[in-house]
Amino acid sequence: MKPENLSEQKANKVNKGHSLLHSLILSHPLFSSLILFYLTTKTNIMLKIKEQQVIEAAQQGMDTFVELFYNEIMNSIGGELNAESMQSLTPDQITLVAYCIYREEVMDGGHVQLIHNGSGPFIFLNPFAKAMRLWGAKEFSKLVYSGRKFFEENQKALTKECSDEEFMAIYENYPEADDLDDEFIIMEEEVTETVARYIDEHIQDFAEIEA
């Protein structure tokens, strides 16, 4: 559920270990191979989802529908996304994971939190923006490219160790991040609907649906 007021949410959110990717050692040479996996990986074991689960999720709305596939993907890799686990995912599955991580982080604490928590390289240095354009989310793709520019210019400052108080003060120093946050908040519902539609139309690339 997206917060009604992102600024208020930022003020109340100081959990720097929130990201699912926070445990990745992003400076490790293995991380560079994530890009290769993203482009070339082929699924080894396609995850399976019951048809009734899909029907019920669709009836509850696009958010629940998208989250069903995201949760099942993460469960299939033990809840840990890294270079090894990504080998068992399809490119579309990886793209969905990236979108859900992006949406959760930005709706929770903005681009500052997303970058500070260590998700920046996964989102901005992989072909995520291009994949989103191919999925039909063209304006969102442009936003991700803008986010990459912000990430590359401020990565060092935003990822350094700091106290909770210092972390909260970061937001005041990067007003341009607020513009990125606001832009995503405005389009989030439309983007999530586009993602849900893509999953529905390419469901075989995400899971095997069992009766």
Side-chain angles (χ1 to χ4, degrees), residues 3-96:
E4 295 182 359
N5 188 318
L6 179 60
S7 296
E8 180 179 347
Q9 191 73 8
K10 287 177 181 177
N12 294 327
K13 183 64 181 178
V14 194
N15 182 6
K16 301 189 292 295
H18 182 67
S19 172
L20 288 170
L21 293 182
H22 189 64
S23 61
L24 277 176
I25 305 176
L26 298 177
S27 60
H28 193 282
L30 277 177
F31 183 73
S32 63
S33 64
L34 291 181
I35 296 177
L36 177 62
F37 290 142
Y38 197 105
L39 291 170
T40 64
T41 184
K42 299 294 182 182
T43 185
N44 294 323
I45 302 176
M46 177 61 75
L47 63 92
K48 299 179 180 181
I49 304 177
K50 294 292 185 182
E51 182 180 20
Q52 188 60 33
Q53 288 180 276
V54 176
I55 293 173
E56 291 176 358
Q59 290 173 340
Q60 292 178 50
M62 59 185 179
D63 287 338
T64 304
F65 182 76
V66 169
E67 288 167 5
L68 169 66
F69 285 86
Y70 168 68
N71 290 334
E72 290 296 328
I73 290 169
M74 294 306 297
N75 288 339
S76 74
I77 57 175
E80 187 173 346
L81 188 66
N82 53 41
E84 182 178 357
S85 65
M86 284 179 74
Q87 294 182 71
S88 66
L89 301 180
T90 67
D92 276 345
Q93 288 172 335
I94 296 171
T95 299
L96 176 58

Side-chain angles (χ1 to χ4, degrees), residues 129 132-143 145 194:
M132 285 286 94
R133 178 174 58 81
L134 295 174
W135 282 23
K138 295 181 179 179
E139 292 304 312
F140 175 59
S141 175
K142 295 177 183 177
L143 174 61
Y145 281 122
T194 299

Side-chain angles (χ1 to χ4, degrees), residues 123-154:
I123 298 298
F124 299 119
L125 301 184
N126 280 304
F128 172 59
K130 180 179 179 180
M132 285 286 94
R133 178 174 58 81
L134 295 174
W135 282 23
K138 295 181 179 179
E139 292 304 312
F140 175 59
S141 175
K142 295 177 183 177
L143 174 61
V144 176
Y145 281 122
S146 297
R148 173 171 179 161
K149 183 175 184 294
F150 175 74
F151 166 72
E152 291 177 335
E153 292 175 348
N154 302 287

Side-chain angles (χ1 to χ4, degrees), residues 86-192:
M86 284 179 74
Q87 294 182 71
S88 66
L89 301 180
T90 67
D92 276 345
Q93 288 172 335
I94 296 171
T95 299
L96 176 58
V97 169
Y99 175 67
C100 290
I101 290 174
Y102 176 95
R103 182 179 69 162
E104 181 179 4
E105 291 280 19
V106 173
M107 296 303 289
D108 190 49
H111 286 76
V112 166
Q113 176 176 297
L114 180 142
I115 295 169
H116 186 77
N117 281 349
S119 298
F122 179 58
I123 298 298
F124 299 119
L125 301 184
N126 280 304
F128 172 59
K130 180 179 179 180
M132 285 286 94
R133 178 174 58 81
L134 295 174
W135 282 23
K138 295 181 179 179
E139 292 304 312
F140 175 59
S141 175
K142 295 177 183 177
L143 174 61
V144 176
Y145 281 122
S146 297
R148 173 171 179 161
K149 183 175 184 294
F150 175 74
F151 166 72
E152 291 177 335
E153 292 175 348
N154 302 287
Q155 178 184 11
K156 184 175 181 179
L158 291 176
T159 54
K160 67 180 181 180
E161 291 293 328
C162 60
S163 67
D164 292 347
E165 292 75 14
E166 290 171 331
F167 174 69
M168 296 312 302
I170 289 175
Y171 288 102
E172 299 178 5
N173 298 326
Y174 297 95
E176 62 270 40
D178 289 333
D179 295 336
L180 295 172
D181 300 343
D182 292 343
E183 190 173 347
F184 179 66
I185 289 171
I186 292 170
M187 68 172 68
E188 183 272 330
E189 185 174 345
E190 180 180 350
V191 178
T192 299

